[in-house]
Amino acid sequence: MDRLLSMELFVAVVDKGSFTAAADAHRLSQPMVGKHIAALEARLGGKLLVRTTRRQQLTELGQHYYQRCRAILADLAAADDAAALLREQPRGVLRVNASVTFGTLRLAPLLAEFMARYPEIGVELELSDQLVDLVAEGYDAVFRIGHLADSGLVARRLKPYRMMIAASPAYLARRGRPETPEQLAEHDCLGFSRWRRDDGWDALARLHAAQIPSSRFLCNQGQALRQMALAGAGIVLQAETLLADDVAAERLVSLLDGYLPEAKPMHLLYPADRQPLPKLRVFVDFIIERLGEL
């Protein structure tokens, strides 16, 4: 039998004073209520109620079990109420994953605006350049750069993720300015160790049949590569988001704009659900409003 229903019926019998009243309240027959109580007693190994022709009385076991049942049913009712509130208005905590550079420079400022707009929503943002499993790791949404495999998730297309090549004026004054990818063979190209096989300098070299020497400096963090470029240590290839402000301020000079690899597609991924919680629905709408393709 349904143990939860049995507990509800037991509490109703005690509160209402009879099996008949409990049966009427739950639209069941009196014998069915009796079966539920008997099932509980069999499970617990003792009597919960002592019945006479005139009244019924809780046993010591019944008194303890009644109090625990009331507490459990109250907790369940509170859980149902909380779930209903989550369904009614945007509230709760969103777990979001994004790449380090995009998450730090582009997403975090937007999240500040989002949280100001929805003060009852909190955000737990995790930044990583490794692919994560949205479902297995419990994320509400992830930002993914690059082409997607079929995952069964909802994918909303965002503005492409563009790259930029740049170097400091001091470096260019010392080493000269490359005008074609072939001329990169004569330069120090700073390397990003997290690039996959088809990314970064390798992608540029294949695209233009150029020879680009192995990087003397490798790092797994774009900000460190930016700092090396600012210090005049070489030419950097990183996200436009990371380098654009330095180029605008003339701390770096944009190079080879006509030879850049094609911008990568970018998507916001989240689980398929016909009725997503309001916190996720408004987050998706906000991101599409600010970062969606025109």
Side-chain angles (χ1 to χ4, degrees):
M1 284 189 164
D2 183 334
R3 198 194 322 179
L4 181 59
L5 176 57
S6 297
M7 293 167 67
E8 290 177 346
L9 291 171
F10 169 60
V11 169
V13 167
V14 176
D15 289 346
K16 295 183 179 299
S18 72
F19 279 57
T20 300
D24 291 343
H26 285 78
R27 297 183 180 179
L28 295 172
S29 66
Q30 184 177 338
M32 180 57 68
V33 173
K35 288 181 179 180
H36 277 275
I37 304 303
L40 286 178
E41 292 176 333
R43 182 180 184 85
L44 297 171
K47 283 283 189 182
L48 295 171
L49 293 161
V50 176
R51 299 174 66 190
T52 67
T53 54
R54 293 186 178 181
R55 63 176 184 160
Q56 61 188 25
Q57 184 174 346
L58 286 169
T59 65
E60 183 178 358
L61 173 63
Q63 290 174 351
H64 287 289
Y65 194 64
Y66 170 74
Q67 295 299 329
R68 295 302 302 157
C69 285
R70 282 187 62 91
I72 290 169
L73 293 173
D75 285 344
L76 288 172
D80 287 345
D81 290 342
L85 283 174
L86 284 175
R87 285 285 177 192
E88 289 171 3
Q89 55 187 310
R91 63 173 62 198
V93 177
L94 279 167
R95 294 196 69 235
V96 180
N97 177 273
S99 66
V100 175
T101 296
F102 169 78
T104 301
L105 298 176
R106 191 73 180 95
L107 181 59
L110 290 179
L111 290 178
E113 180 183 342
F114 173 76
M115 293 172 69
R117 186 182 296 185
Y118 298 101
E120 294 192 60
I121 297 180
V123 178
E124 180 182 332
L125 175 63
E126 183 167 321
L127 302 180
S128 170
D129 290 323
Q130 304 298 312
L131 291 181
V132 299
D133 186 321
L134 181 149
V135 176
E137 298 182 45
Y139 292 105
D140 294 290
V142 301
F143 292 81
R144 187 89 23 105
I145 300 168
H147 295 284
L148 299 176
D150 184 9
S151 63
L153 300 171
V154 178
R156 301 293 300 273
R157 183 177 285 275
L158 306 177
K159 294 174 183 175
Y161 196 71
R162 302 186 186 282
M163 305 299 285
M164 178 178 279
I165 299 173
S168 71
Y171 175 88
L172 296 175
R174 187 174 73 251
R175 299 288 298 273
R177 176 173 181 149
E179 301 295 343
T180 66
E182 290 79 7
Q183 294 177 5
L184 290 172
E186 303 169 6
H187 288 269
D188 293 323
C189 297
L190 305 172
F192 183 57
S193 59
R194 295 285 187 181
W195 274 326
R196 298 187 187 88
R197 198 174 202 174
D198 297 328
D199 287 341
W201 294 120
D202 287 344
L204 188 73
R206 277 192 295 273
L207 184 62
H208 301 290
Q211 293 293 323
I212 299 178
S214 298
S215 300
R216 292 178 55 221
F217 179 78
L218 284 171
C219 184
N220 67 346
Q221 222 284 338
Q223 283 283 11
L225 292 169
R226 168 180 168 268
Q227 291 295 335
M228 288 289 285
L230 289 169
I235 299 176
V236 65
L237 169 59
Q238 277 291 305
E240 182 180 70
T241 299
L242 180 61
L243 305 178
D245 286 348
D246 292 316
V247 170
E250 300 183 351
R251 292 185 293 266
L252 293 176
V253 177
S254 181
L255 305 171
L256 302 172
D257 293 342
Y259 297 95
L260 290 170
E262 183 179 355
K264 294 182 180 181
M266 187 169 184
H267 296 85
L268 174 64
L269 304 181
Y270 54 94
D273 187 344
R274 291 183 178 180
Q275 293 183 312
L277 289 176
K279 66 176 181 178
L280 178 58
R281 187 181 67 248
V282 296
F283 178 70
V284 171
D285 290 344
F286 176 83
I287 292 299
I288 296 303
E289 171 192 324
R290 301 306 303 273
L291 298 178
E293 281 195 319
L294 298 177

XYZ file of all heavy atoms in Angstrom, residues 20-74:
430
model
N -14.751 6.538 10.183
C -15.793 6.995 9.256
C -15.507 8.417 8.780
O -15.582 8.722 7.588
C -17.169 6.945 9.935
O -17.442 5.600 10.336
C -18.256 7.405 8.979
N -15.165 9.296 9.712
C -14.887 10.683 9.341
C -13.653 10.774 8.447
O -13.619 11.555 7.491
C -14.697 11.524 10.600
N -12.633 9.983 8.750
C -11.427 9.987 7.921
C -11.737 9.467 6.529
O -11.243 9.994 5.522
C -10.343 9.144 8.580
N -12.568 8.431 6.446
C -12.957 7.862 5.145
C -13.728 8.889 4.326
O -13.476 9.053 3.127
C -13.787 6.604 5.360
N -14.647 9.592 4.948
C -15.425 10.614 4.237
C -14.525 11.731 3.722
O -14.695 12.217 2.595
C -16.495 11.194 5.164
C -17.606 10.189 5.482
O -17.717 9.185 4.736
O -18.339 10.409 6.462
N -13.550 12.156 4.554
C -12.672 13.258 4.162
C -11.807 12.901 2.957
O -11.480 13.760 2.137
C -11.790 13.663 5.334
N -11.475 11.605 2.828
C -10.595 11.177 1.723
C -11.367 10.436 0.627
O -10.759 9.903 -0.293
C -9.475 10.276 2.267
C -8.398 11.026 2.999
N -8.563 11.474 4.292
C -7.155 11.427 2.619
C -7.453 12.098 4.679
N -6.601 12.082 3.683
N -12.697 10.438 0.764
C -13.548 9.793 -0.232
C -13.156 8.324 -0.458
O -13.001 7.848 -1.573
C -13.500 10.554 -1.562
C -14.044 11.966 -1.446
C -14.059 12.674 -2.767
N -14.592 14.028 -2.639
C -14.712 14.889 -3.644
N -14.333 14.533 -4.860
N -15.214 16.086 -3.429
N -12.983 7.635 0.673
C -12.695 6.207 0.662
C -13.732 5.492 1.518
O -14.451 6.111 2.303
C -11.297 5.938 1.238
C -10.093 6.487 0.452
C -8.823 6.291 1.264
C -9.972 5.791 -0.903
N -13.785 4.199 1.384
C -14.686 3.423 2.239
C -14.034 3.214 3.596
O -12.805 3.226 3.722
C -14.979 2.069 1.593
O -13.807 1.275 1.546
N -14.860 2.983 4.601
C -14.327 2.740 5.938
C -13.446 1.489 5.986
O -12.375 1.512 6.612
C -15.469 2.643 6.948
C -14.986 2.487 8.392
C -16.132 2.476 9.383
O -17.218 2.962 9.101
N -15.892 1.910 10.555
N -13.861 0.372 5.326
C -12.976 -0.809 5.327
C -11.609 -0.524 4.706
O -10.598 -1.063 5.156
C -13.762 -1.832 4.509
C -15.187 -1.412 4.667
C -15.169 0.080 4.710
N -11.547 0.347 3.666
C -10.268 0.665 3.048
C -9.367 1.430 4.012
O -8.163 1.192 4.079
C -10.492 1.481 1.771
C -9.190 1.866 1.049
S -8.162 0.432 0.602
C -9.202 -0.327 -0.654
N -9.952 2.360 4.777
C -9.169 3.066 5.785
C -8.625 2.068 6.801
O -7.454 2.131 7.194
C -10.019 4.140 6.490
C -9.247 4.754 7.659
C -10.435 5.224 5.503
N -9.479 1.105 7.209
C -9.030 0.082 8.147
C -7.867 -0.730 7.593
O -6.929 -1.074 8.328
N -7.877 -1.029 6.299
C -6.768 -1.780 5.684
C -5.462 -0.989 5.732
O -4.395 -1.547 5.962
C -7.121 -2.144 4.247
C -8.182 -3.226 4.122
C -8.460 -3.553 2.659
C -9.511 -4.647 2.544
N -9.803 -4.986 1.126
N -5.576 0.312 5.501
C -4.365 1.144 5.561
C -3.787 1.167 6.972
O -2.561 1.073 7.145
C -4.680 2.566 5.093
C -4.660 2.728 3.602
N -3.498 2.971 2.904
C -5.651 2.676 2.678
C -3.768 3.066 1.610
N -5.083 2.900 1.439
N -4.627 1.323 7.960
C -4.134 1.340 9.342
C -3.527 -0.015 9.692
O -2.465 -0.096 10.317
C -5.255 1.696 10.340
C -5.901 3.049 9.975
C -4.716 1.727 11.760
C -4.937 4.199 9.915
N -4.181 -1.093 9.281
C -3.660 -2.438 9.549
C -2.311 -2.645 8.880
O -1.415 -3.292 9.439
C -4.664 -3.491 9.063
N -2.137 -2.086 7.672
C -0.861 -2.212 6.964
C 0.250 -1.500 7.732
O 1.379 -1.997 7.836
C -0.986 -1.652 5.553
N -0.056 -0.326 8.285
C 0.939 0.385 9.094
C 1.298 -0.428 10.339
O 2.484 -0.547 10.696
C 0.397 1.753 9.513
C 0.334 2.848 8.445
C -0.288 4.109 9.045
C 1.720 3.179 7.894
N 0.307 -0.964 11.004
C 0.557 -1.736 12.221
C 1.386 -2.979 11.924
O 2.283 -3.340 12.696
C -0.770 -2.105 12.876
C -1.506 -0.884 13.450
C -2.866 -1.223 14.017
O -3.483 -2.215 13.554
O -3.337 -0.486 14.909
N 1.108 -3.611 10.790
C 1.895 -4.784 10.408
C 3.344 -4.385 10.127
O 4.284 -5.103 10.491
C 1.276 -5.446 9.170
N 3.532 -3.246 9.514
C 4.884 -2.775 9.189
C 5.657 -2.428 10.466
O 6.849 -2.708 10.590
C 4.799 -1.561 8.267
C 6.140 -1.021 7.830
C 6.004 0.189 6.913
N 7.305 0.605 6.457
C 7.956 0.095 5.404
N 7.392 -0.859 4.689
N 9.153 0.540 5.061
N 4.939 -1.804 11.425
C 5.585 -1.364 12.654
C 5.676 -2.465 13.710
O 6.433 -2.341 14.676
C 4.817 -0.170 13.233
C 4.786 1.085 12.344
C 3.818 2.101 12.920
C 6.177 1.685 12.225
N 4.881 -3.492 13.552
C 4.913 -4.608 14.505
C 4.219 -4.319 15.812
O 4.615 -4.837 16.864
N 3.194 -3.481 15.780
C 2.471 -3.189 17.008
C 1.215 -2.391 16.711
O 1.039 -1.835 15.620
N 0.322 -2.320 17.703
C -0.928 -1.604 17.555
C -0.719 -0.086 17.671
O 0.037 0.384 18.508
C -1.918 -2.043 18.644
C -2.566 -3.389 18.370
C -3.643 -3.226 17.316
C -4.471 -4.487 17.167
N -5.478 -4.327 16.095
N -1.435 0.651 16.818
C -1.422 2.097 16.887
C -2.649 2.632 17.624
O -2.586 3.676 18.275
C -1.396 2.692 15.470
C -0.148 2.403 14.634
C -0.366 2.863 13.195
C 1.062 3.095 15.235
N -3.770 1.925 17.482
C -5.038 2.356 18.055
C -5.701 1.198 18.785
O -5.635 0.050 18.335
C -5.979 2.852 16.952
C -5.579 4.128 16.205
C -6.325 4.206 14.878
C -5.884 5.356 17.067
N -6.331 1.524 19.879
C -7.184 0.561 20.563
C -8.608 1.054 20.403
O -8.922 2.190 20.784
C -6.820 0.447 22.057
C -7.798 -0.483 22.757
C -5.395 -0.049 22.221
N -9.476 0.223 19.814
C -10.849 0.635 19.520
C -11.813 -0.136 20.410
O -11.692 -1.334 20.606
C -11.192 0.366 18.061
C -10.318 1.131 17.087
C -10.601 0.728 15.668
N -11.944 1.115 15.254
C -12.503 0.712 14.120
N -11.855 -0.128 13.320
N -13.726 1.123 13.817
N -12.770 0.614 20.962
C -13.878 -0.011 21.690
C -15.152 0.390 20.968
O -15.124 1.119 19.976
C -13.911 0.488 23.147
O -14.251 1.872 23.155
C -12.568 0.273 23.831
N -16.268 -0.050 21.467
C -17.539 0.276 20.807
C -17.842 1.763 20.912
O -18.586 2.316 20.094
C -18.689 -0.524 21.451
O -18.685 -0.288 22.855
C -18.516 -2.007 21.168
N -17.287 2.424 21.907
C -17.613 3.826 22.119
C -16.521 4.802 21.657
O -16.814 5.929 21.321
C -17.892 4.083 23.610
C -19.149 3.388 24.095
C -19.449 3.796 25.511
N -20.674 3.193 26.005
C -21.186 3.390 27.211
N -20.545 4.208 28.053
N -22.300 2.805 27.593
N -15.277 4.362 21.695
C -14.214 5.305 21.349
C -12.971 4.546 20.903
O -12.887 3.319 20.996
C -13.878 6.197 22.536
C -13.345 5.450 23.730
C -12.944 6.395 24.838
N -12.340 5.673 25.954
C -11.565 6.238 26.866
N -11.321 7.533 26.788
N -11.055 5.541 27.865
N -11.991 5.344 20.445
C -10.702 4.789 20.084
C -9.620 5.566 20.829
O -9.804 6.737 21.169
C -10.459 4.881 18.584
C -10.443 6.311 18.054
C -10.392 6.347 16.539
O -10.811 5.409 15.872
N -9.873 7.443 16.001
N -8.508 4.907 21.101
C -7.454 5.543 21.887
C -6.104 5.141 21.301
O -5.900 4.007 20.871
C -7.551 5.086 23.347
C -6.561 5.779 24.262
C -6.808 5.402 25.715
O -7.847 4.841 26.055
N -5.845 5.730 26.570
N -5.177 6.111 21.272
C -3.833 5.827 20.782
C -3.062 5.006 21.802
O -3.121 5.255 23.019
C -3.062 7.132 20.537
C -3.438 7.962 19.305
C -2.780 9.327 19.381
C -3.017 7.238 18.035
N -2.313 4.032 21.319
C -1.366 3.325 22.164
C -0.129 4.194 22.343
O 0.023 5.256 21.706
C -0.949 1.997 21.518
O -0.235 2.278 20.304
C -2.162 1.132 21.208
N 0.814 3.759 23.170
C 2.063 4.525 23.332
C 2.805 4.596 21.996
O 3.314 5.651 21.612
C 2.936 3.869 24.395
C 4.225 4.657 24.666
C 5.066 4.032 25.767
O 4.636 3.020 26.349
O 6.168 4.554 26.009
N 2.832 3.445 21.282
C 3.449 3.445 19.949
C 2.702 4.405 19.025
O 3.317 5.166 18.266
C 3.422 2.024 19.378
C 3.873 1.872 17.917
C 5.326 2.274 17.750
C 3.642 0.432 17.438
N 1.361 4.382 19.113
C 0.549 5.239 18.261
C 0.788 6.714 18.532
O 0.816 7.533 17.595
N 0.989 7.091 19.818
C 1.229 8.494 20.151
C 2.532 8.992 19.523
O 2.579 10.080 18.941
C 1.284 8.663 21.676
C -0.066 8.489 22.352
C 0.044 8.518 23.873
O 1.151 8.503 24.424
N -1.104 8.547 24.546
N 3.603 8.205 19.649
C 4.887 8.598 19.057
C 4.790 8.651 17.529
O 5.300 9.597 16.900
C 5.986 7.616 19.492
C 6.401 7.759 20.921
N 7.134 8.836 21.392
C 6.170 6.961 22.005
C 7.346 8.697 22.688
N 6.775 7.565 23.087
N 4.141 7.650 16.963
C 4.058 7.587 15.493
C 3.186 8.727 14.961
O 3.484 9.308 13.915
C 3.488 6.235 15.076
C 3.680 5.939 13.601
C 4.947 5.799 13.053
C 2.576 5.790 12.757
C 5.112 5.527 11.708
C 2.741 5.517 11.409
C 4.010 5.380 10.895
O 4.181 5.118 9.566
N 2.142 9.067 15.669
C 1.261 10.165 15.260
C 2.038 11.478 15.187
O 1.913 12.234 14.218
C 0.097 10.272 16.255
C -0.748 11.514 16.087
C -1.636 11.651 15.021
C -0.650 12.558 17.007
C -2.404 12.799 14.877
C -1.418 13.703 16.877
C -2.291 13.820 15.808
O -3.040 14.962 15.661
N 2.842 11.768 16.226
C 3.605 13.018 16.235
C 4.599 13.072 15.071
O 4.754 14.108 14.414
C 4.359 13.165 17.569
C 3.452 13.320 18.788
C 2.566 14.568 18.703
O 2.966 15.582 18.105
N 1.382 14.500 19.301
N 5.273 11.955 14.788
C 6.243 11.933 13.685
C 5.530 12.054 12.340
O 6.011 12.736 11.439
C 7.060 10.638 13.723
C 7.949 10.501 14.946
C 8.936 11.653 15.059
N 9.771 11.741 13.871
C 10.390 12.840 13.468
N 10.238 13.955 14.154
N 11.141 12.836 12.386
N 4.363 11.411 12.221
C 3.611 11.519 10.968
C 3.168 12.948 10.707
O 3.258 13.444 9.574
C 2.388 10.594 10.996
S 2.775 8.847 10.781
N 2.696 13.621 11.732
C 2.272 15.021 11.562
C 3.442 15.887 11.105
O 3.304 16.754 10.229
C 1.700 15.568 12.869
C 0.272 15.109 13.164
C -0.280 15.841 14.392
N -0.348 17.273 14.155
C -1.430 17.885 13.653
N -2.520 17.187 13.362
N -1.425 19.185 13.468
N 4.633 15.667 11.702
C 5.806 16.456 11.328
C 6.211 16.184 9.876
O 6.531 17.109 9.119
C 6.970 16.142 12.273
N 6.183 14.913 9.499
C 6.558 14.536 8.125
C 5.582 15.129 7.121
O 5.976 15.687 6.090
C 6.627 13.007 7.994
C 7.828 12.467 8.769
C 6.708 12.587 6.520
C 7.839 10.957 8.923
N 4.299 15.027 7.400
C 3.290 15.559 6.479
C 3.373 17.080 6.388
O 3.161 17.657 5.314
C 1.889 15.123 6.935
C 1.617 13.609 6.835
C 0.265 13.269 7.463
C 1.663 13.133 5.386
N 3.713 17.728 7.516
C 3.886 19.187 7.478
C 5.079 19.567 6.611
O 5.028 20.534 5.838
C 4.061 19.732 8.896
